[in-house]
C-alpha cells in the first residue's frame, strides 16, 4: 500500500518552507535597506539645513552689525561736531538714512519669512493691474537703483487683462527680484529689463512677468538651490554682497500661493532672467 501526505513528499514540504523563509527574509532585508536609506537621506538633509541655519545666523548677525556700526559712527561724529560743514552733515544724514533703510529691509525680510512659515504667505487675492504692481516695485527699489546706477527698461504689453493677486505680496516678490538684479547684476552698463505679456499655457492664457539683468548670471550647479531658504550663492559670500538668503524663497512661495510658477533662465556671463507665470483674474473667476 502507498500512503502519501496531502502536502506532498517530505522533500517538497521542506523545499517550499525554505523558499517561503527565504522570501520573508529577503523582504525584511529589503525593508531594512530602504529604511536605512531613508534615514541616511533624512539625516543628511537635516544636517544640511542645520548648517544653512548656522550660516544664516552668522550672516544676519554680520548684516546687522555693519549698518549698526555705521549708524553709531555717524551719530558719534555728528554729536562730537567732527562734521560741521553743511556738506559733511548732509553726507552723514544720507549715510544714516541708507544704513537704516538696509536694516529695515533686512528685519522686514526676516519677519515676512516668519509669517510665511506660520502660513500667512498672501492675503485674499483680488483683480489688479500688473502695470501698477511693477510701478510700485520699481518705486520701492528707487534708493538701490540710484546707488547701483542702473537703468530700468519696462516693456508692458498694452491692454493687458488684470491678474488675480495680493497686490502687496506680488509687489514684494517683484521688488525682491529687482533688488537681486541690482545687487548681482550691477557693473558696467547696468540694465534691468522688466516685461509683462500675455502667454498661452496649453489653452488658458496666463500673465508672464520677467525680470532680467545682464550681470554674470548664476552657475548651473547653483540654479537648483537658489530658491531654498537660507541658501546663498558662492559669489554672494565671496564678494560680500548683502543678503540673508531668504529673498528668492519668499518670491517662490508668494508666486506659488497665487497658483503661479517661477523659473530661472541663466548662463554664466549672460545675466539671469526670472520668469513668473500668474493666473488671470477672469480665468480664476470662471474656474
Ligand atoms: P540673497 O540675495 O540674500 O543671497 P536670495 O534668496 O535672494 O538671497 O538669492 C539666493 C542666491 O541666488 C543669491 O545668494 C545669489 O547667489 C543668487 N542670485 C539671485 N538672484 C541673482 C541674480 N539676478 N544674478 C545672479 N545671482 C543671483
Amino acid at each position: 500500500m502507498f500512503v502519501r501526505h496531502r502536502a506532498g513528499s517530505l522533500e517538497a514540504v521542506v523545499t517550499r518552507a525554505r523558499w517561503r523563509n527565504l522570501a520573508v527574509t529577503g523582504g525584511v532585508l529589503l525593508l531594512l535597506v530602504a529604511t536605512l536609506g531613508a534615514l541616511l537621506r533624512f539625516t543628511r538633509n537635516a544636517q544640511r539645513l542645520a548648517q544653512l541655519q548656522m550660516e544664516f545666523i552668522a550672516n544676519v548677525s554680520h548684516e546687522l552689525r555693519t549698518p549698526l556700526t555705521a549708524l553709531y559712527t555717524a551719530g558719534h561724529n555728528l554729536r562730537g561736531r567732527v562734521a560741521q560743514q553743511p556738506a559733511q552733515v548732509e553726507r552723514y544724514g544720507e549715510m544714516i538714512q541708507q544704513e537704516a533703510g538696509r536694516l529695515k529691509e533686512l528685519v522686514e525680510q526676516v519677519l515676512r519669512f516668519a509669517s510665511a512659515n506660520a502660513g500667512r504667505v498672501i492675503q485674499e487675492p483680488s483683480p489688479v493691474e500688473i502695470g501698477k504692481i511693477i510701478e510700485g516695485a520699481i518705486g520701492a527699489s528707487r534708493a538701490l537703483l540710484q546707488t547701483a546706477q542702473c537703468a530700468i527698461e519696462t516693456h508692458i504689453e498694452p491692454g493687458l487683462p488684470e491678474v488675480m493677486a495680493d497686490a502687496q505680496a506680488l509687489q514684494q516678490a517683484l521688488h525682491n527680484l529687482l533688488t537681486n538684479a541690482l545687487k548681482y547684476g550691477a557693473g558696467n552698463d547696468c540694465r534691468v529689463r522688466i516685461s509683462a505679456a500675455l502667454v498661452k499655457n496649453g489653452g488658458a492664457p496666463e500673465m508672464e512677468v520677467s525680470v532680467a539683468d545682464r550681470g554674470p548670471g548664476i552657475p548651473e550647479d547653483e540654479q537648483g538651490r537658489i530658491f531654498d531658504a537660507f541658501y546663498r550663492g558662492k559669489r554672494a559670500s565671496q564678494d560680500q554682497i548683502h543678503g540673508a538668503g531668504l529673498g528668492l524663497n519668499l518670491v517662490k512661495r508668494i508666486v506659488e500661493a497665487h497658483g503661479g510658477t517661477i523659473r530661472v533662465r541663466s548662463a554664466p556671463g549672460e545675466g539671469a532672467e526670472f520668469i513668473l507665470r500668474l493666473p488671470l483674474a477672469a480665468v480664476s473667476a470662471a474656474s
Side-chain angles (χ1 to χ4, degrees), residues 121-134:
V121 183
I122 61 168
Q123 309 283 332
E124 192 61 35
S126 59
V128 288
E129 274 178 45
I130 196 70
K132 287 209 175 119
I133 306 262
I134 292 176

Side-chain angles (χ1 to χ4, degrees), residues 180-181 183-184 213 217-218 222 226 231-233 235-236 242-249 272 274:
N180 278 354
K183 280 194 314 189
Y184 299 104
D213 63 65
I218 305 169
E222 291 187 1
I226 53 173
Y231 179 79
R232 304 210 73 212
R235 195 178 138 240
H242 299 297
L246 299 178
L248 286 181
N249 181 262
F274 288 86

Side-chain angles (χ1 to χ4, degrees), residues 202-221:
E206 281 182 335
M207 184 70 71
E208 187 172 277
V209 183
S210 130
V211 179
D213 63 65
R214 308 201 309 187
I218 305 169
E220 212 168 314
D221 60 327

Side-chain angles (χ1 to χ4, degrees), residues 8-9 20 40 48 51 58 80 130 132 140 144 153 161 209 271 276:
S9 71
R20 209 173 29 241
L40 270 176
R48 209 171 74 177
Q51 165 87 17
I130 196 70
K132 287 209 175 119
L144 193 58
E153 295 168 7
V209 183
L276 275 57

